[in-house]
Amino acid sequence: MEEDLALFAVEHASKLGAEYVDARLEDHYNELIIAANGKVQRGVINRKRGIGIRTLVNGAWGFQSTTDLTKKGIKQATEIAFKVGKASSKHVPTPVKLAPAKTYKTSYKTKVKVDLENMAFEDKLKEIITWEKKLHTSKKIVRGLAEYTGIKIHKVFVNNEGANIRFFNSLAWVSLKADSKKGDMTQFYERTVGHSGGYEIFQKNDMEKIGLEVGRKAESLLKAKAAKTEKDATVIVDNDYAALLVHEIVGHPSEADRVLGREAAWAGTTWWAGKIGEKIGSDYLTAYDDPAIPGTLGYYQYDDEGVKAERKVLIEKGVLKGHMHSRETAAIFGVKPNAGMRAITFEYIPLIRMSNTFFGEGDWKEEELIKETKHGYLISCMRHPSIDDKRYNWTISAQEAYEIKNGELTTHLRDVALTSIAPKFFKSISAVTKKVEILPLPGCGKGDPMQALYVGNGGPYIRGVATILGVK
Amino acid sequence: MASILTSLKEAGDAILKIAEKKGLDEAEAYLVSNKLLTIRLVNNAVFESKGVHDIGVGLRVIKGNMLGFSSTADLSKKSLERLVDAAVSTAKARKLPFKYSFPKLGKMPKVAGIYDKKLAELPSEKAVELAYGMVDASMAHSKKIVDNAGVLNVVNYETLVLNSHEVSAKNMGTFFEASLSATAKNGKNVSEGSEATAGRSIKELKPKNIGEKAAEMAVSGLKSQKLKEDTYPVILDYEPAVGVLGYISYLVSPMIAKLYFPLFLDKLGKKVASSQVTLIDDPLMPKGIGSAPVDDEGTPSKNQIIINKGFLKKFVYDSFYGAIDKKKTTGNAVRVSFAVGVSSFPGKNYNGEPIPFARNPYFKPGKWKREELIEETKQGLLVRRFHYTRLTNPTRGDFTSVLRMGLYAVKNGEIADALKKSRLLDNLLNLLRNVDAVSDKLVVAGSWGDYAHTPVIRTKAHVAPID
């Protein structure tokens, strides 16, 4: 990919009078396979290349993307990006300022062993069908579903401050889901395996075995007992459930644009605006966002503003420490930018997004947590969230749960969801295990137009108090 | 304008020739030019103006019993060769157990009011002023309004379907989506309001109206009471009715039903809703938000009843899912991308294969005026907004939404107290079965890229306060 085209856009916008300009020239390869009940439903290869040009004109943002990569096309797009920025500036009472950021000239790659394009589409499909077939562990499995996504991105970022960063990224994940049925009762179970890297992830994991496990779990839920509503129960959430929990009640409200009310229209705001430095949870509550973890879905070394990635401490021992920032919000908060900006393709303006957000470790062992619980519940594996606009009240369902009696797992439970208020739950956290896992979450939505992005989320096992919502 | 269509046609013809040369039995090119301008409003100001011009093609090929798909945004000759090869490689992986052929040529109907030259050519400066007009109107409505956030999307698309059966169907349209959320403050009390609408022409865009409605809702919630958890008669105003409609649209797609939301799978011909509920899909509706003369594989549009007086009459089909279920296409091919990391803008999308989906669905209006629905409710709730609506158990129908704003108690036929934020927790099938009244007028409403025509519906639902 010729970076000259991106440099041309930057130069042209500067000539027009933009005080800041950056350009992302990108080449995308995406493949998608959906298989259900032994048959292929979708088999897709998408390619897209183009450029996104962002300008700051009289303190207002303008942006234009185009798939026309001729000099004429880029010139035209640059002029539109300048023009719309200028038009916006009439209604921007406080001009945008950017926090200073060191400029980098570098190139880096995600570590890949098996390049997605070096393996025949047909071969991938055969494998995915095989895994899907494993979901059908008995006649009680009425639907199996396997969804595979592979992505390769070659990106060049340049700006008028001299940054020039090239990134070759590769990601792959598979979700396996089984629906079971007995009489009128239906249940389902699902699991996602994925990473930043090549196809090797599916060779490292025994995918057929995972398929079998998912099928058996879906079957076992037919025999499980329906959960009953119980107020303020002791709950131990596992890594998988913690992943969605941290995503929804720590990750999203930590986005500084959201804190500033900029996502108020659709996504919402956050209850902890203005509370930095305040104690919002127990000493056992710590949370980070860290893009620089190779192998995770949220991996990158430089964000879409060219800022070098670092671990962001969001909450430390119960104290709200900081947010995820763009250069603009960092200037507003008077802090260093911390590489929170990403766009799914060159066609979108970057937004503040999670990378890998996770709860920090403690010093307990999982077995100890269960052993020390007289009466409580082990809540296992995320299902669906529904969160209020301030990320205050949350309801998240789980795939399954076990009642704990006198330190032992007893009754297997289905149809279980937890609900609580974020600060109440945070303050209730009384123990956290040592082992932290970061899991793939491929579909995080934000922005208008919506950008569905892949992130990593996770944590240790966490013990706290929440209300169990059973079947009505 | 003509030059875009000409270049799309040239690329499409070139693709069909390459496909023929490579010995493929059939090919279908879906070519798109999609222009989008977005003005985002944040903290009472214009936050950013952003544009997208996306030109590209989605290609389906058939060789024997194999079907493949690929897409590209690069229309150079070399890239088109690679596109056909990629579609062939996906075809090798997908052998169909049934015979499949792309749709044949049909007579194309006309649809009025779906393209507006003035909207298509709206200058960005004017778009910024129109968007900001919503903020202005909200601020002017009341001094209690302290914050506004919103968006104006303006879309101008052209598509062309070419296939080996001589289908050559072009489609062009314009639309806007405009929304505003306002925050009112009075002492310690803070309340939100919002308004969201869409339309096909610049004439339909009324920023003042949007701003005032958002502000009015925000101010009306300043004095609010806590709701008592119970099952209530609930009047779902336009926007929440679209929220319900959106999920019903999923349920009547055989693809989505089979893969994700199977609630209606075994219910064809059975009663799935009260007799008040009739669901129509009419892509021929003049000015219809989802209207077009053809679907996304070139099949002529037609009006059809999907649920009739509570009975599920049919699922909607494109040609492929029709072939699977041994049914004819109902003209419901819609291109959406299922892939994460692939763009999916308001407007037309060439990145995905067609799926069967309702195109311009609405609940058939009933006899009641909206005011009468309220007047005839002794004790219930008026729900004007849904937020974060989810089918939390898609196999059973558990349904939840945060009633973030615009929630009111209805007492003895009058809107009484505004109520604090609450959560609706019920079952989608129960909501449908309990519909006892539908209003007489269709209004365009929606949220976050999901707009439709809808009446107001009254049903029953369990609602609990959020502490």
Side-chain angles (χ1 to χ4, degrees):
Chain A
M1 250 188 343
E2 289 305 321
E3 65 189 43
D4 293 0
L5 293 170
L7 290 168
F8 169 69
V10 167
E11 198 181 310
H12 190 55
S14 300
K15 263 189 208 160
L16 291 170
E19 55 251 37
Y20 173 81
V21 52
D22 59 33
R24 284 174 296 123
L25 181 66
E26 297 180 7
D27 195 346
H28 287 250
Y29 171 85
N30 293 62
E31 51 187 18
L32 171 76
I33 296 169
I34 302 180
N37 294 342
K39 288 176 197 143
V40 190
Q41 300 286 326
R42 310 254 113 178
V44 174
I45 293 175
N46 298 119
R47 283 179 205 278
K48 194 169 248 189
R49 61 200 291 267
I51 190 166
I53 303 147
R54 190 171 68 139
T55 61
L56 196 54
V57 184
N58 302 335
W61 287 117
F63 177 84
Q64 179 69 27
S65 77
T66 183
T67 49
D68 180 354
L69 289 183
T70 61
K71 245 186 169 175
K72 191 181 155 203
I74 292 174
K75 189 166 179 260
Q76 206 175 13
T78 308
E79 282 162 9
I80 297 172
F82 180 80
K83 200 172 102 177
V84 296
K86 199 173 167 187
S88 299
S89 67
K90 286 179 194 159
H91 296 292
V92 176
T94 314
V96 170
K97 280 188 186 146
L98 301 182
K102 199 176 163 192
T103 56
Y104 294 89
K105 287 182 197 291
T106 186
S107 174
Y108 69 107
K109 287 180 183 176
T110 297
K111 199 174 164 194
V112 171
K113 282 189 184 158
V114 182
D115 189 299
L116 299 175
E117 284 186 275
N118 285 350
M119 184 164 169
F121 195 84
E122 201 178 343
D123 294 340
K124 281 178 250 186
L125 189 124
K126 275 182 196 156
E127 288 207 339
I128 288 152
I129 291 270
T130 310
W131 308 335
E132 194 282 325
K133 283 184 176 164
K134 293 288 173 192
L135 296 168
H136 298 264
T137 46
S138 81
K139 282 186 178 166
K140 286 177 189 148
I141 304 297
V142 290
R143 264 179 303 279
L145 180 64
E147 294 182 289
Y148 158 78
T149 299
I151 298 176
K152 282 174 70 179
I153 303 169
H154 176 186
K155 181 191 297 196
V156 174
F157 172 87
V158 296
N159 68 13
N160 64 339
E161 296 171 349
N164 191 326
I165 299 162
R166 198 176 276 263
F167 179 27
F168 297 85
N169 198 7
S170 175
L171 306 122
W173 65 84
V174 161
S175 295
L176 296 173
K177 180 178 175 233
D179 286 7
S180 57
K181 190 168 184 184
K182 192 182 174 192
D184 284 341
M185 198 201 315
T186 53
Q187 288 292 315
F188 66 95
Y189 195 86
E190 58 191 322
R191 193 179 296 174
T192 301
V193 175
H195 75 156
S196 63
Y199 197 78
E200 64 275 5
I201 179 87
F202 309 117
Q203 294 161 346
K204 257 191 252 163
N205 284 277
D206 187 341
M207 295 303 293
E208 292 190 23
K209 194 176 155 204
I210 292 172
L212 279 172
E213 281 169 9
V214 170
R216 283 179 191 142
K217 278 281 185 191
E219 269 191 78
S220 73
L221 283 169
L222 293 171
K223 290 183 206 155
K225 230 174 131 180
K228 283 187 185 156
T229 299
E230 185 176 322
K231 230 179 149 109
D232 297 334
T234 297
V235 295
I236 297 167
V237 305
D238 71 1
N239 316 103
D240 194 298
Y241 188 91
L244 188 57
L245 189 66
V246 78
H247 181 99
E248 301 292 0
I249 67 170
V250 175
H252 279 304
S254 291
E255 298 153 356
D257 51 353
R258 202 174 164 122
V259 178
L260 291 167
R262 292 180 172 183
E263 292 294 313
W266 295 135
T269 56
T270 167
W271 66 273
W272 65 38
K275 291 189 189 291
I276 285 200
E278 287 185 27
K279 184 98 171 155
I280 55 148
S282 80
D283 288 350
Y284 297 97
L285 173 67
T286 293
Y288 307 103
D289 183 84
D290 190 351
I293 305 174
T296 55
L297 276 199
Y299 170 71
Y300 56 88
Q301 292 289 352
Y302 301 86
D303 76 348
D304 283 341
E305 291 191 312
V307 177
K308 193 162 173 46
E310 59 181 44
R311 177 173 282 205
K312 311 170 191 72
V313 181
L314 306 173
I315 304 168
E316 191 172 42
K317 293 182 178 173
V319 177
L320 187 66
K321 298 296 273 191
H323 306 315
M324 302 166 195
H325 284 288
S326 63
R327 288 182 64 183
E328 182 188 353
T329 64
I332 294 168
F333 281 80
V335 297
K336 254 178 65 188
N338 56 17
M341 288 285 268
R342 275 202 295 168
I344 62 164
T345 71
F346 60 90
E347 296 156 291
Y348 295 84
I349 201 163
L351 295 167
I352 299 173
R353 304 300 297 257
M354 274 175 252
S355 59
N356 300 298
T357 310
F358 53 97
F359 289 117
E361 64 176 32
D363 51 10
W364 287 66
K365 284 186 184 151
E366 290 149 24
E367 314 80 77
E368 287 171 353
L369 269 189
I370 292 160
K371 216 173 166 184
E372 296 228 347
T373 303
K374 208 166 176 196
H375 183 253
Y377 299 88
L378 174 65
I379 309 295
S380 179
C381 296
M382 66 175 99
R383 199 169 257 181
H384 295 283
S386 181
I387 322 288
D388 84 345
D389 51 292
K390 290 191 190 314
R391 302 278 143 173
Y392 188 69
N393 172 275
W394 57 272
T395 298
I396 298 177
S397 54
Q399 303 213 48
E400 59 177 340
Y402 287 89
E403 191 171 359
I404 304 168
K405 279 183 189 165
N406 300 319
E408 285 189 2
L409 297 182
T410 60
T411 318
H412 189 201
L413 300 169
R414 61 173 164 87
D415 300 321
V416 57
L418 297 188
T419 189
S420 188
I421 302 298
K424 188 177 163 188
F425 179 74
F426 289 155
K427 281 173 190 159
S428 79
I429 296 174
S430 57
V432 174
T433 62
K434 192 159 178 55
K435 197 178 155 199
V436 172
E437 258 189 78
I438 297 180
L439 297 144
L441 244 87
C444 168
K446 190 179 173 186
D448 192 336
M450 169 75 87
Q451 300 188 47
L453 190 63
Y454 29 83
V455 298
N457 285 119
Y461 278 47
I462 294 169
R463 186 176 67 196
V465 173
T467 293
I468 309 260
L469 289 178
V471 182
K472 267 165 43 71
Chain B
M1 210 83 59
S3 66
I4 289 172
L5 262 182
T6 309
S7 61
L8 292 184
K9 173 92 169 65
E10 278 170 11
D13 287 339
I15 292 165
L16 294 193
K17 264 190 201 155
I18 298 167
E20 199 182 340
K21 222 169 94 187
K22 289 186 187 274
L24 296 167
D25 297 335
E26 291 186 35
E28 176 207 65
Y30 180 71
L31 300 117
V32 173
S33 161
N34 200 44
K35 279 187 186 170
L36 166 67
L37 175 64
T38 300
I39 315 293
R40 270 191 75 209
L41 305 160
V42 158
N43 302 142
N44 301 326
V46 174
F47 175 60
E48 63 195 14
S49 299
K50 49 193 181 183
V52 179
H53 190 188
D54 188 14
I55 297 177
V57 55
L59 171 69
R60 286 197 293 175
V61 298
I62 296 174
K63 172 81 178 168
N65 63 343
M66 299 182 292
L67 173 69
F69 176 86
S70 187
S71 78
T72 184
D74 181 353
L75 300 186
S76 67
K77 208 181 160 207
K78 198 177 145 199
S79 163
L80 296 183
E81 287 271 352
R82 193 161 74 153
L83 171 74
V84 177
D85 291 341
V88 170
S89 73
T90 65
K92 278 183 194 159
R94 177 160 47 170
K95 295 183 180 73
L96 306 176
F98 52 85
K99 186 160 169 44
Y100 179 62
S101 182
F102 296 132
K104 309 286 185 300
L105 197 61
K107 198 180 167 204
M108 210 195 299
K110 283 193 174 156
V111 185
I114 58 170
Y115 178 80
D116 176 29
K117 196 164 181 278
K118 282 186 183 162
L119 190 58
E121 294 171 3
L122 185 70
S124 49
E125 298 87 344
K126 179 78 180 149
V128 167
E129 293 308 319
L130 285 167
Y132 192 73
M134 299 192 287
V135 175
D136 255 350
S138 171
M139 299 296 278
H141 181 79
S142 166
K143 283 185 180 158
K144 289 173 185 153
I145 299 296
V146 292
D147 193 26
N148 288 282
V151 71
L152 173 66
N153 283 317
V154 178
V155 180
N156 171 18
Y157 62 81
E158 291 176 62
T159 66
L160 178 67
V161 184
L162 297 174
N163 76 19
S164 310
H165 302 301
E166 294 181 352
V167 165
S168 174
K170 72 173 183 182
N171 176 25
M172 58 201 282
T174 50
F175 67 90
F176 70 83
E177 298 170 349
S179 63
L180 193 76
S181 291
T183 304
K185 203 172 175 190
N186 191 14
K188 280 187 179 171
N189 294 333
V190 179
S191 166
E192 289 181 299
S194 80
E195 176 66 12
T197 188
R200 290 296 209 153
S201 68
I202 192 89
K203 269 190 209 163
E204 296 164 72
L205 175 56
K206 297 186 172 76
K208 192 166 176 268
N209 197 20
I210 297 166
E212 284 175 353
K213 281 188 170 173
E216 173 263 316
M217 188 193 287
V219 173
S220 75
L222 279 170
K223 275 186 193 167
S224 56
Q225 309 293 320
K226 191 171 175 178
L227 168 134
K228 190 178 159 228
E229 180 169 356
D230 207 344
T231 298
Y232 293 92
V234 292
I235 299 162
L236 298 179
D237 215 342
Y238 300 109
E239 191 273 339
V242 171
V244 173
L245 179 70
Y247 276 103
I248 308 303
S249 300
Y250 286 137
L251 304 185
V252 299
S253 161
M255 180 205 170
I256 295 176
K258 282 178 189 174
L259 297 186
Y260 307 106
F261 296 149
L263 277 181
F264 279 1
L265 260 191
D266 54 353
K267 295 194 172 56
L268 188 62
K270 293 183 183 161
K271 197 147 191 203
V272 294
S274 83
S275 58
Q276 301 291 328
V277 178
T278 291
L279 179 71
I280 294 169
D281 186 32
D282 183 9
L284 297 172
M285 177 198 278
K287 296 185 191 173
I289 217 69
S291 291
V294 288
D295 72 359
D296 289 349
E297 55 182 2
T299 302
S301 298
K302 64 176 184 184
N303 178 334
Q304 55 196 324
I305 296 174
I306 300 167
I307 297 172
N308 192 21
K309 294 178 180 171
F311 287 90
L312 180 63
K313 302 306 276 186
K314 60 164 73 168
F315 286 91
V316 297
Y317 283 99
D318 65 336
S319 63
F320 180 67
Y321 277 84
I324 291 176
D325 284 0
K326 298 186 176 63
K327 307 258 187 195
K328 279 188 179 168
T329 169
T330 55
N332 283 91
V334 174
R335 308 257 177 172
V336 290
S337 175
F338 271 69
V340 173
V342 173
S343 54
S344 184
F345 292 110
K348 295 294 179 179
N349 187 331
Y350 56 85
N351 297 318
E353 289 176 278
I355 66 157
F357 207 71
R359 292 168 54 210
N360 193 45
Y362 60 89
F363 293 121
K364 188 181 171 189
K367 291 181 283 190
W368 286 266
K369 295 204 179 318
R370 180 180 178 274
E371 305 76 60
E372 287 171 354
L373 276 182
I374 296 164
E375 282 163 20
E376 290 186 17
T377 302
K378 206 172 172 196
Q379 188 158 15
L381 302 175
L382 171 64
V383 177
R384 292 179 65 190
R385 287 291 173 271
F386 270 179
H387 174 83
Y388 215 127
T389 307
R390 290 286 186 278
L391 204 53
T392 47
N393 186 332
T395 60
R396 210 176 50 200
D398 296 355
F399 183 85
T400 187
S401 187
V402 176
L403 311 179
R404 169 182 168 182
M405 60 179 97
L407 176 65
Y408 306 88
V410 177
K411 284 178 191 162
N412 300 320
E414 284 186 2
I415 298 173
D417 307 318
L419 297 168
K420 289 193 193 302
K421 201 183 291 180
S422 302
R423 182 186 282 283
L424 185 148
L425 278 159
D426 215 292
N427 182 286
L428 186 60
L429 293 176
N430 287 345
L431 291 183
L432 288 176
R433 284 181 196 127
N434 286 321
V435 173
D436 67 348
V438 179
S439 79
D440 61 349
K441 211 171 125 189
L442 291 176
V443 166
V444 180
S447 66
W448 218 345
D450 189 12
Y451 290 84
H453 303 261
T454 186
V456 176
I457 57 178
R458 187 173 63 192
T459 180
K460 268 186 203 154
H462 192 82
V463 185
I466 288 178
D467 293 331

